Amino acid sequence: MTILTLHPDRLFPAEPTTRGIARALYAGVKDLPIISPHGHTDPSWFAYDQPFADPAQLLIVPDHYVFRMLYSQGVKLETLGIPTEDGSATATDGRAIWRIFAENYHLFRGTPSRMWLDWVFAEGFGIDVRLEAETADHYYDLIDAALKTPAFRPRALFDRFGIEAIATTESPLDPLDHHRAIRASGWTGRVMTAYRPDPVMDPEAAGFLDNIARFGETAGEDVSTFAGYLRAHRFHRARFREAGATSTDHGHPSAFTADLPRAEAEALYETVRSGKASAAEAELFRGQMLTEMARMSIEDGMVMQLHPGAFRSHNPSVLARFGRDKGADIPMPSEFVRNLKPLLDAYGNDPRLTLILFTLDEDTYSRELAPLAGHYPALRLGPPWWFHDSPEGMRRFRQRATETAGFYNTVGFNDDTRAFLSIPARHDVARRMDCGFLAQLVAEHRLEEDEAHEVARALAYDLAKAAYKL
Amino acid sequence: MTILTLHPDRLFPAEPTTRGIARALYAGVKDLPIISPHGHTDPSWFAYDQPFADPAQLLIVPDHYVFRMLYSQGVKLETLGIPTEDGSATATDGRAIWRIFAENYHLFRGTPSRMWLDWVFAEGFGIDVRLEAETADHYYDLIDAALKTPAFRPRALFDRFGIEAIATTESPLDPLDHHRAIRASGWTGRVMTAYRPDPVMDPEAAGFLDNIARFGETAGEDVSTFAGYLRAHRFHRARFREAGATSTDHGHPSAFTADLPRAEAEALYETVRSGKASAAEAELFRGQMLTEMARMSIEDGMVMQLHPGAFRSHNPSVLARFGRDKGADIPMPSEFVRNLKPLLDAYGNDPRLTLILFTLDEDTYSRELAPLAGHYPALRLGPPWWFHDSPEGMRRFRQRATETAGFYNTVGFNDDTRAFLSIPARHDVARRMDCGFLAQLVAEHRLEEDEAHEVARALAYDLAKAAYKL
Amino acid sequence: MTILTLHPDRLFPAEPTTRGIARALYAGVKDLPIISPHGHTDPSWFAYDQPFADPAQLLIVPDHYVFRMLYSQGVKLETLGIPTEDGSATATDGRAIWRIFAENYHLFRGTPSRMWLDWVFAEGFGIDVRLEAETADHYYDLIDAALKTPAFRPRALFDRFGIEAIATTESPLDPLDHHRAIRASGWTGRVMTAYRPDPVMDPEAAGFLDNIARFGETAGEDVSTFAGYLRAHRFHRARFREAGATSTDHGHPSAFTADLPRAEAEALYETVRSGKASAAEAELFRGQMLTEMARMSIEDGMVMQLHPGAFRSHNPSVLARFGRDKGADIPMPSEFVRNLKPLLDAYGNDPRLTLILFTLDEDTYSRELAPLAGHYPALRLGPPWWFHDSPEGMRRFRQRATETAGFYNTVGFNDDTRAFLSIPARHDVARRMDCGFLAQLVAEHRLEEDEAHEVARALAYDLAKAAYKL
């Protein structure tokens, strides 16, 4: 067995002077509350505060970062207990799943998953030996036992993690019962929803026509007209704001936007409602709706988030057997300069709009996103996203975006995760990497240390709170 | 108030051995004269040697790097005194403008503007406190007073900055009176023009048809034929060479080139002259004219520069109210391999041609530009341009281009600025970053120190002088 | 004269703690045997063990990295003795060629060629002064003399270099006589071929129709039908496997794949055989054949390699006078996500397939390749290729690919060279850079040192052996 320790200097630059500065900067931000303005935790956890299931169900089965890597090296998803679309059986023995994971833990060397998991093991559960085949059962027993204690209930963890506010993400089709239950419970943790209308805005979404029908019904609006459809959005946005939402989120294939004359938009909606929209018409509708969302954000103050650029469910065999979100979403080249122009022409200069941009195409950081955000008052840059939520990904983001967009056109960190236990680990990685980046600027006399302290705090706390109006 | 100092080791790597090498390399190049072969200073400054106006008019109003960032954070351009297209009033009180700038100076943390400005304040004006709200008036008074002294007249600064040669950029429509006045004045500072024919080569340029009419008239050529139009170019190129020009400069949307049969080129010119060229025909004409310019460069020896890849005036509201060049030019993906082929097929192997390539798309450094420049005798790589004229931008350029193109297919530094006071600061940043890059090669035993000294001098001085034939 | 030494710490990070870790990691891998699973050495060298010709013929004339750079700075290829297509004379005096090289050796500063060459000079030939004009003759005499000794015969070098296995690359039109001769000779060095069917799979290849005719004849198959053509592939693949081949290699313009219904594939083959295939049909055929090759790999176990993205012979003047592979191949943007989908839809989840991907477009590392390889069991990432087989190229590869694909979806190092003497230098650079990368992870407490030792060994030896089934 090998010792597991989290080194206090982890992720800081090795050069001693720079490391010393990084340590000092980090000391000033490490205990700041966590603002988690974008993520995918399950609000029912906080509503009902039930214990999490076994270690495998907590840490492996729902984490596509984890099973993706195992799958890439030949581990069958069935043996990891990933549920199937047709309900046919897969592994259910948490201990057996955990052993496979432990035997293959070396595959995660050099990945952020490894750092997050080690944090969960060491800080979360107090484990002091490394995960490997021979410690698999030790881990399983220890985590399983801990999960049965009150200290590992969701609300206890929420407090322990120092979460000041956390956003979940729901579709307009969601009744928001869990969020209502949270409020009704008297518990004071701040859990907000966010408005994610993809299922009713993307004509290519599964069940789109049914979705807009239900969307209209629950809003009490006739969605057979574009006007009624837009009113239904206003209704649901208001409903979400009542459940604490301060933001909307849009996961589109591209950053394409449009701002059609009203009659054309209405005709397009007709086509879309007929179920016969072509791929190009579907893209046009999504683009038009982003501009409509911007218009509504100007009215109601909700911050917009745009997450473009994933080829979803690239692997049809995995999709057919295991469904969506199984680690087979692959980034594509993204374009922002022409795609965002219609929306920006309309509202890019409007101080009432905040549009936060994310990308999976790092090439756009210095070429497109930083120049755009360094000019348009409405634009801000989200943190490195998904595959780039990683030490090297964060370093590249700061290196490429800062000189043109500065720090103040960015919005701090988002964890974007449903892996609740990893949230503090992820924020900690971000704080450490930002402090390391700032320490380098200080050590190279490109920024003064007193200013670096201010920026470190902004990146860890202030900017997220301000940008998301929390 | 906080002290403002420029640390002597600024921008050098923090690791002590590497820093020591960087210091030694920099000591060998820091006092070399400045060769500024590409830029946008105003020749009337040198012709008439009048004092600069107030601090805001000198450092904020003309600097789109500065007001772009302020604008992105909600500062109105009107309050910064940016002149409007319709002549409607904007702020005129330099002190008030300066205060807004000072209050927002933290926005520039981590940007090259911050480093250049601090240099201007500390080295240029001898200021020893940091710019912030409470020092705004102190700064304003001090700079304003300095600008009224002879030491801050353009020619005095030219001498103080150690400028050996500086190029301005003019259109063929420019009578070059200021350049003539410089020569007539007996002042011995070397100020050259450069031939920038975009207004008469780009059918989509504002006033294009009027431009070519005037272009022909001043040349005494009948530009109703392509032959006459080309003769007019020859005339103006000769006129520019008489005003010291050794280079031409081409700011095109893309690097597209063409080499049409003469009859097709003539027919294309007919179309273009009719004012009815399509976007594709306009692009074809620009591409054809790049090849024509290469042909003329082979005749007259002028070095060509190509600056492609900006989406100009992306923000129509800002364009309508404030005009062009207001910080709303946004880079686009660029392609060189297919686009340059027609020109390279014709002249890429000709030792009489030098074509210097710039890019806003850093992805092309290692993928396209370094392989092209590492093969074609006619090609050289310009320094990191515009948004990439920055410490991280320079580091990426050397890291990505050097291994394939070497150092000797690059051409040293260009400041590309009209911010006259920042010129020494910009060259100093480039020299420091290049010395830091070389120091890392030496510290990692990838280059010997005696060789690094030679390369440092080449990058700071020799290569620019040679490439631009100065 | 200046001393030439190879510093024992070359390429290691300068920061002392990190360097110490790098040294320790490197000590564990530096003497591991060389696995060279992909390259272009000439099997006749090993078959007949004849001495190499003079220094220029060994180190300059065949190395496009070397003469490309000289050419870019105005050195005529004729003066370097590059043979012409029409057989017209070029320089033949090795010493004169060598002097030109020596005079221009400074051009290689900062390039990997410089590091490889210095290794060849110092380690290979024991030279202790730097190459420059005044040492040109000393070098020439010393290398020329060495080449006449038994120690510099191919087999002696093979042993001295510690090569455990090396692959050459042959076309299906090659009779593999040299490989047969190697086996017949009783020499025990392991030299394998690899199956490179581009000449019979690319309808745009020179002599394609003749090629498939010969391809069919030698296989005893009627290639007038697609079925016969596929059988001929099976025949030749078996023939190659008998000559030790464990892999196929495919150098395509793009990563495009197709998986047509059989009747369409047959019709496409008809078109291709007619010699009238359009560019699009040629691309479709190449893409279809990649999927056919995957199908056969699943049958016979050969590992597939795909090298897409070069614009071959970009310079028509150089092509006409000197032929292909003269340093004028230029990378283009590459796309993998959509292009590979047909092949991956068919076989991406098949554990019997290994498809190793290379790229010249570094942007795809983090955006496309690492996410694909981090999911599909059939995919692995080849090392940084060609222009990116360089210290900075290797660093970028690990920085961008590791966090998403891990280390174990990569396949160690390939030298990909015909410059036999540079092979140990290239592997040494890769080992040093990987150890440096790992040392940084250790120094930043992102990986434990005992794990780094395991990974270092995997990257230097184990992964190549496993991926290529050696």
Side-chain angles (χ1 to χ4, degrees):
Chain A
M1 287 193 302
T2 317
I3 297 297
L4 171 64
T5 52
L6 302 182
H7 198 283
D9 287 334
R10 64 191 182 279
L11 291 167
F12 295 156
E15 194 281 313
T17 301
T18 314
R19 178 166 287 186
I21 300 166
R23 264 187 212 136
L25 294 172
Y26 177 70
V29 301
K30 77 185 170 67
D31 295 325
L32 287 172
I34 287 177
I35 302 288
S36 175
H38 177 96
H40 301 279
T41 53
D42 185 337
S44 73
W45 297 337
F46 308 112
Y48 316 114
D49 203 33
Q50 293 302 301
F52 290 105
D54 73 51
Q57 290 300 322
L58 177 66
L59 295 170
I60 302 170
V61 176
D63 190 339
H64 58 73
Y65 284 85
V66 167
F67 60 71
R68 175 183 68 79
M69 179 66 89
L70 298 170
Y71 184 68
S72 78
Q73 286 277 316
V75 176
K76 299 277 175 212
L77 295 180
E78 287 83 353
T79 66
L80 295 171
I82 309 303
T84 52
E85 285 292 277
D86 65 2
S88 61
T90 60
T92 54
D93 178 355
R95 186 177 299 273
I97 294 169
W98 189 264
R99 283 177 182 162
I100 295 171
F101 174 50
E103 283 158 14
N104 288 283
Y105 196 53
H106 65 283
L107 298 178
F108 295 93
R109 287 170 180 163
T111 71
S113 292
R114 168 65 185 268
M115 296 209 75
W116 300 329
L117 287 161
D118 277 358
W119 187 96
V120 169
F121 300 152
E123 283 289 313
F125 292 100
I127 301 175
D128 59 3
V129 293
R130 192 187 298 164
L131 182 60
E132 50 198 345
E134 67 167 313
T135 59
D137 286 348
H138 173 68
Y139 263 73
Y140 193 84
D141 294 337
L142 206 149
I143 296 173
D144 201 45
L147 294 180
K148 296 181 164 67
T149 64
F152 284 85
R153 297 282 179 93
R155 291 182 183 177
L157 290 171
F158 186 101
D159 290 341
R160 178 177 159 198
F161 292 166
I163 296 173
E164 180 177 315
I166 192 167
T168 67
T169 308
E170 272 79 36
S171 136
L173 305 176
D174 191 293
L176 303 182
D177 290 343
H178 303 318
H179 282 276
R180 208 160 13 246
I182 292 169
R183 275 148 210 255
S185 75
W187 179 60
T188 56
R190 184 169 180 191
V191 180
M192 314 83 75
T193 184
Y195 187 67
R196 172 96 174 219
D198 301 355
V200 300
M201 266 172 52
D202 178 4
E204 296 175 323
F208 172 70
L209 294 179
D210 290 345
N211 294 346
I212 54 173
R214 284 172 54 206
F215 175 67
E217 271 168 41
T218 50
E221 294 290 350
D222 172 7
V223 296
S224 69
T225 66
F226 191 50
Y229 171 75
L230 293 181
R231 280 195 306 272
H233 273 289
R234 285 194 175 84
F235 172 88
H236 287 290
R237 290 171 68 107
R239 184 168 69 85
F240 271 62
R241 285 198 304 285
E242 281 164 29
T246 66
S247 66
T248 71
D249 184 35
H250 307 278
H252 285 206
S254 80
F256 177 78
T257 64
D259 191 17
L260 301 173
R262 182 60 179 239
E264 287 181 36
E266 288 171 352
L268 178 63
Y269 181 69
E270 275 300 295
T271 304
V272 158
R273 267 195 73 243
S274 74
K276 290 174 183 154
S278 66
E281 287 163 334
E283 178 77 347
L284 185 59
F285 186 72
R286 288 188 296 260
Q288 176 65 26
M289 285 308 300
L290 284 180
T291 307
E292 300 293 345
M293 290 293 106
R295 253 191 278 284
M296 293 186 198
S297 278
I298 284 171
E299 293 167 16
D300 66 19
M302 292 176 89
V303 172
M304 280 184 81
Q305 301 171 91
L306 179 58
H307 287 84
F311 190 122
R312 300 279 173 180
S313 300
H314 190 266
N315 188 331
S317 310
V318 167
L319 176 66
R321 183 143 174 74
F322 300 100
R324 293 167 53 85
D325 302 324
K326 291 300 176 292
D329 296 345
I330 310 290
M332 294 181 295
S334 288
E335 201 282 336
F336 292 90
V337 180
R338 294 183 187 281
N339 276 334
L340 288 180
K341 196 165 190 310
L343 189 155
L344 292 174
D345 283 357
Y347 303 113
N349 300 289
D350 195 311
R352 294 168 297 176
L353 178 65
T354 300
L355 170 55
I356 302 174
L357 301 173
F358 295 80
T359 193
L360 291 168
D361 182 352
E362 297 180 295
D363 300 343
T364 61
Y365 287 155
S366 71
R367 188 180 60 218
E368 304 177 25
L369 293 177
L372 286 166
H375 169 70
Y376 282 101
L379 292 183
R380 293 291 182 274
L381 301 187
W385 174 39
W386 195 341
F387 294 110
H388 310 310
D389 177 8
S390 65
E392 299 293 338
M394 291 172 185
R395 200 194 315 266
R396 284 194 291 269
F397 174 70
R398 293 289 175 210
Q399 285 173 338
R400 298 185 191 183
T402 305
E403 293 180 322
T404 295
F407 291 109
Y408 295 90
N409 283 309
T410 65
V411 301
F413 181 66
N414 287 178
D415 54 72
D416 191 27
T417 191
R418 72 173 269 120
F420 185 46
L421 273 82
S422 76
I423 287 177
R426 289 168 188 253
H427 285 261
D428 190 60
V429 169
R431 291 173 182 189
R432 287 174 179 275
M433 289 305 298
D434 281 336
C435 289
F437 178 74
L438 290 165
Q440 192 191 347
L441 294 188
V442 173
E444 294 177 8
H445 307 290
R446 296 156 66 183
L447 187 69
E448 296 298 320
E449 193 160 355
D450 67 302
E451 298 182 283
H453 277 279
E454 274 186 43
V455 175
R457 187 191 155 91
L459 301 182
Y461 183 79
D462 301 331
L463 286 171
K465 208 163 162 172
Y468 285 88
K469 306 183 179 179
L470 296 172
Chain B
M1 288 193 299
T2 316
I3 296 298
L4 170 64
T5 53
L6 301 182
H7 197 284
D9 286 335
R10 64 192 182 277
L11 291 167
F12 295 156
E15 194 280 313
T17 301
T18 314
R19 178 165 288 186
I21 300 165
R23 264 187 212 137
L25 294 171
Y26 176 69
V29 301
K30 76 184 171 69
D31 295 324
L32 287 172
I34 287 178
I35 302 288
S36 176
H38 176 95
H40 301 279
T41 51
D42 185 336
S44 72
W45 297 337
F46 309 112
Y48 315 115
D49 203 33
Q50 294 300 302
F52 290 105
D54 72 52
Q57 289 300 322
L58 178 66
L59 295 170
I60 301 171
V61 176
D63 189 340
H64 57 73
Y65 284 85
V66 167
F67 61 71
R68 175 182 70 76
M69 179 65 90
L70 297 170
Y71 184 68
S72 79
Q73 286 277 317
V75 176
K76 298 279 176 213
L77 295 181
E78 286 84 352
T79 65
L80 295 171
I82 309 304
T84 52
E85 286 290 277
D86 65 2
S88 61
T90 60
T92 53
D93 177 355
R95 187 178 297 272
I97 295 169
W98 188 264
R99 283 176 183 163
I100 295 170
F101 175 49
E103 283 158 16
N104 287 285
Y105 197 53
H106 65 282
L107 298 178
F108 296 92
R109 288 170 179 163
T111 70
S113 291
R114 168 64 184 268
M115 296 208 75
W116 300 330
L117 286 161
D118 277 357
W119 188 96
V120 169
F121 300 152
E123 283 290 311
F125 292 99
I127 302 175
D128 59 4
V129 293
R130 191 188 298 162
L131 181 61
E132 52 199 345
E134 66 169 312
T135 58
D137 286 348
H138 173 67
Y139 263 73
Y140 193 83
D141 293 337
L142 206 149
I143 296 172
D144 201 46
L147 293 181
K148 296 182 165 67
T149 64
F152 284 86
R153 296 280 178 95
R155 292 182 182 175
L157 290 171
F158 185 101
D159 289 341
R160 177 176 160 200
F161 291 165
I163 297 174
E164 180 176 315
I166 193 167
T168 67
T169 309
E170 273 80 35
S171 135
L173 304 177
D174 191 293
L176 304 182
D177 290 343
H178 303 317
H179 282 275
R180 209 163 9 246
I182 293 169
R183 274 149 211 253
S185 74
W187 180 60
T188 57
R190 185 169 181 192
V191 180
M192 312 83 75
T193 184
Y195 187 67
R196 173 96 173 220
D198 301 357
V200 299
M201 266 173 52
D202 178 4
E204 297 175 322
F208 173 70
L209 293 179
D210 289 345
N211 294 346
I212 55 172
R214 284 173 53 206
F215 175 67
E217 270 167 42
T218 49
E221 294 290 349
D222 173 7
V223 296
S224 69
T225 67
F226 191 51
Y229 170 75
L230 294 181
R231 280 195 306 272
H233 273 289
R234 285 192 175 86
F235 172 87
H236 288 289
R237 290 171 68 107
R239 185 167 68 86
F240 271 61
R241 286 199 304 287
E242 280 166 30
T246 66
S247 66
T248 71
D249 184 35
H250 308 277
H252 285 205
S254 80
F256 178 77
T257 64
D259 191 17
L260 302 173
R262 181 62 179 237
E264 287 181 35
E266 288 171 350
L268 178 62
Y269 181 69
E270 275 300 295
T271 304
V272 158
R273 267 196 71 243
S274 74
K276 290 172 183 154
S278 67
E281 287 164 333
E283 178 77 346
L284 185 59
F285 186 73
R286 287 187 297 260
Q288 176 65 25
M289 284 310 299
L290 284 180
T291 308
E292 300 294 346
M293 289 293 106
R295 252 190 278 285
M296 292 187 199
S297 278
I298 285 171
E299 294 167 14
D300 65 19
M302 293 176 89
V303 172
M304 279 184 81
Q305 302 171 90
L306 180 57
H307 288 84
F311 189 122
R312 299 280 172 180
S313 300
H314 190 266
N315 189 330
S317 309
V318 166
L319 177 65
R321 181 142 175 74
F322 299 100
R324 292 167 55 85
D325 302 323
K326 291 300 175 294
D329 297 344
I330 309 290
M332 295 181 295
S334 288
E335 201 281 336
F336 292 90
V337 181
R338 293 183 189 282
N339 276 334
L340 288 180
K341 197 166 189 312
L343 188 155
L344 292 173
D345 283 358
Y347 302 113
N349 300 289
D350 195 311
R352 294 169 296 176
L353 178 66
T354 299
L355 171 55
I356 302 174
L357 301 173
F358 296 80
T359 194
L360 291 168
D361 182 351
E362 296 180 296
D363 301 343
T364 61
Y365 287 155
S366 71
R367 188 181 60 218
E368 305 177 25
L369 292 178
L372 286 166
H375 168 69
Y376 282 100
L379 292 183
R380 293 292 182 272
L381 302 186
W385 174 38
W386 194 341
F387 295 110
H388 310 309
D389 176 7
S390 65
E392 299 292 338
M394 290 172 185
R395 200 193 317 265
R396 285 193 291 269
F397 175 70
R398 293 288 174 210
Q399 285 174 337
R400 298 185 189 183
T402 305
E403 293 180 321
T404 294
F407 291 109
Y408 295 90
N409 283 308
T410 65
V411 300
F413 182 66
N414 287 178
D415 54 72
D416 190 28
T417 191
R418 71 173 271 118
F420 185 45
L421 273 81
S422 76
I423 287 178
R426 289 167 188 253
H427 284 261
D428 190 61
V429 169
R431 290 173 183 190
R432 287 173 179 274
M433 289 305 299
D434 281 337
C435 289
F437 179 74
L438 290 165
Q440 192 191 347
L441 295 188
V442 173
E444 294 177 8
H445 306 289
R446 296 156 69 182
L447 186 69
E448 296 298 320
E449 192 159 355
D450 66 303
E451 298 182 283
H453 277 278
E454 275 185 41
V455 176
R457 186 191 154 91
L459 301 182
Y461 183 78
D462 300 331
L463 287 170
K465 207 162 163 171
Y468 285 89
K469 307 184 179 178
L470 296 172
Chain C
M1 287 193 300
T2 316
I3 296 298
L4 171 64
T5 53
L6 302 181
H7 197 283
D9 287 335
R10 64 191 182 279
L11 291 169
F12 295 156
E15 195 281 313
T17 301
T18 314
R19 179 167 286 185
I21 300 164
R23 265 186 213 136
L25 294 171
Y26 177 70
V29 301
K30 76 186 170 70
D31 295 324
L32 287 172
I34 286 176
I35 302 288
S36 176
H38 176 95
H40 301 279
T41 52
D42 185 337
S44 72
W45 297 338
F46 309 112
Y48 314 114
D49 203 32
Q50 294 302 300
F52 290 106
D54 72 52
Q57 290 300 321
L58 177 66
L59 295 170
I60 301 170
V61 176
D63 189 339
H64 57 73
Y65 284 85
V66 167
F67 60 72
R68 175 183 68 76
M69 180 66 90
L70 297 170
Y71 184 68
S72 78
Q73 286 277 317
V75 177
K76 298 278 175 212
L77 295 181
E78 286 84 352
T79 66
L80 295 170
I82 310 303
T84 53
E85 285 292 276
D86 65 1
S88 60
T90 59
T92 53
D93 177 354
R95 186 178 299 271
I97 295 169
W98 189 264
R99 284 177 183 163
I100 295 171
F101 175 48
E103 284 158 14
N104 288 284
Y105 197 52
H106 65 282
L107 299 178
F108 296 92
R109 288 170 180 163
T111 71
S113 292
R114 166 66 184 267
M115 296 208 76
W116 301 329
L117 287 161
D118 278 357
W119 188 96
V120 169
F121 300 152
E123 284 289 313
F125 292 99
I127 301 175
D128 59 4
V129 293
R130 191 187 297 164
L131 182 60
E132 50 199 345
E134 66 168 313
T135 58
D137 285 348
H138 173 69
Y139 263 74
Y140 194 83
D141 293 336
L142 206 148
I143 296 172
D144 201 46
L147 293 181
K148 297 184 164 65
T149 65
F152 284 85
R153 296 281 179 94
R155 291 181 182 176
L157 290 171
F158 186 101
D159 290 342
R160 177 177 160 198
F161 292 165
I163 296 173
E164 181 176 314
I166 192 166
T168 67
T169 308
E170 272 79 35
S171 134
L173 304 177
D174 190 293
L176 303 182
D177 290 343
H178 303 318
H179 282 275
R180 208 160 12 246
I182 292 169
R183 274 149 211 254
S185 74
W187 179 60
T188 58
R190 185 169 181 191
V191 180
M192 314 84 73
T193 183
Y195 187 66
R196 173 97 173 219
D198 302 355
V200 299
M201 266 172 52
D202 178 4
E204 296 175 322
F208 173 70
L209 293 179
D210 288 345
N211 293 346
I212 56 173
R214 285 173 52 206
F215 175 68
E217 270 168 41
T218 50
E221 294 290 350
D222 172 8
V223 295
S224 70
T225 67
F226 191 52
Y229 170 75
L230 293 181
R231 279 196 307 274
H233 274 289
R234 284 192 176 85
F235 171 87
H236 287 289
R237 291 171 67 107
R239 184 167 70 84
F240 272 62
R241 285 199 305 285
E242 281 165 30
T246 65
S247 65
T248 71
D249 183 36
H250 308 277
H252 284 206
S254 80
F256 177 78
T257 64
D259 191 16
L260 301 173
R262 182 59 178 239
E264 287 181 35
E266 289 172 349
L268 177 62
Y269 182 69
E270 275 299 296
T271 304
V272 158
R273 266 196 73 244
S274 75
K276 291 174 183 152
S278 67
E281 286 163 336
E283 178 77 346
L284 184 59
F285 186 72
R286 287 187 298 260
Q288 176 65 24
M289 285 309 300
L290 284 180
T291 307
E292 300 294 347
M293 290 292 105
R295 253 191 278 284
M296 292 187 198
S297 278
I298 285 171
E299 293 166 18
D300 66 19
M302 292 175 91
V303 172
M304 279 185 83
Q305 301 171 92
L306 179 58
H307 287 84
F311 189 122
R312 300 279 173 181
S313 300
H314 190 267
N315 189 331
S317 309
V318 166
L319 177 65
R321 181 142 175 75
F322 299 100
R324 292 167 54 86
D325 302 324
K326 292 300 174 293
D329 297 345
I330 310 290
M332 293 180 296
S334 288
E335 201 283 335
F336 292 90
V337 180
R338 294 183 188 279
N339 276 334
L340 287 179
K341 196 165 191 310
L343 189 155
L344 292 173
D345 283 358
Y347 302 113
N349 300 288
D350 196 310
R352 295 169 296 176
L353 179 64
T354 300
L355 171 54
I356 302 174
L357 301 173
F358 296 80
T359 194
L360 291 169
D361 182 353
E362 297 181 294
D363 301 342
T364 61
Y365 286 154
S366 71
R367 188 180 61 217
E368 304 177 26
L369 293 177
L372 286 166
H375 168 70
Y376 282 100
L379 292 184
R380 292 292 182 273
L381 301 187
W385 174 39
W386 195 340
F387 294 110
H388 310 309
D389 176 7
S390 65
E392 299 292 338
M394 291 172 184
R395 200 194 317 264
R396 284 193 291 268
F397 175 71
R398 292 290 174 209
Q399 285 174 337
R400 298 185 190 183
T402 305
E403 293 180 322
T404 295
F407 291 110
Y408 294 91
N409 283 308
T410 65
V411 300
F413 182 67
N414 288 178
D415 55 72
D416 190 27
T417 191
R418 71 173 271 118
F420 185 45
L421 273 82
S422 76
I423 287 178
R426 289 168 189 254
H427 285 261
D428 190 60
V429 169
R431 289 172 183 190
R432 287 174 180 273
M433 289 306 299
D434 280 337
C435 289
F437 179 75
L438 290 165
Q440 192 192 346
L441 294 188
V442 173
E444 294 178 7
H445 306 288
R446 296 155 67 183
L447 187 68
E448 296 298 320
E449 192 160 354
D450 67 303
E451 299 182 283
H453 277 279
E454 275 185 42
V455 176
R457 188 191 153 90
L459 301 183
Y461 182 80
D462 300 332
L463 286 170
K465 208 163 164 172
Y468 285 88
K469 306 184 179 177
L470 295 173

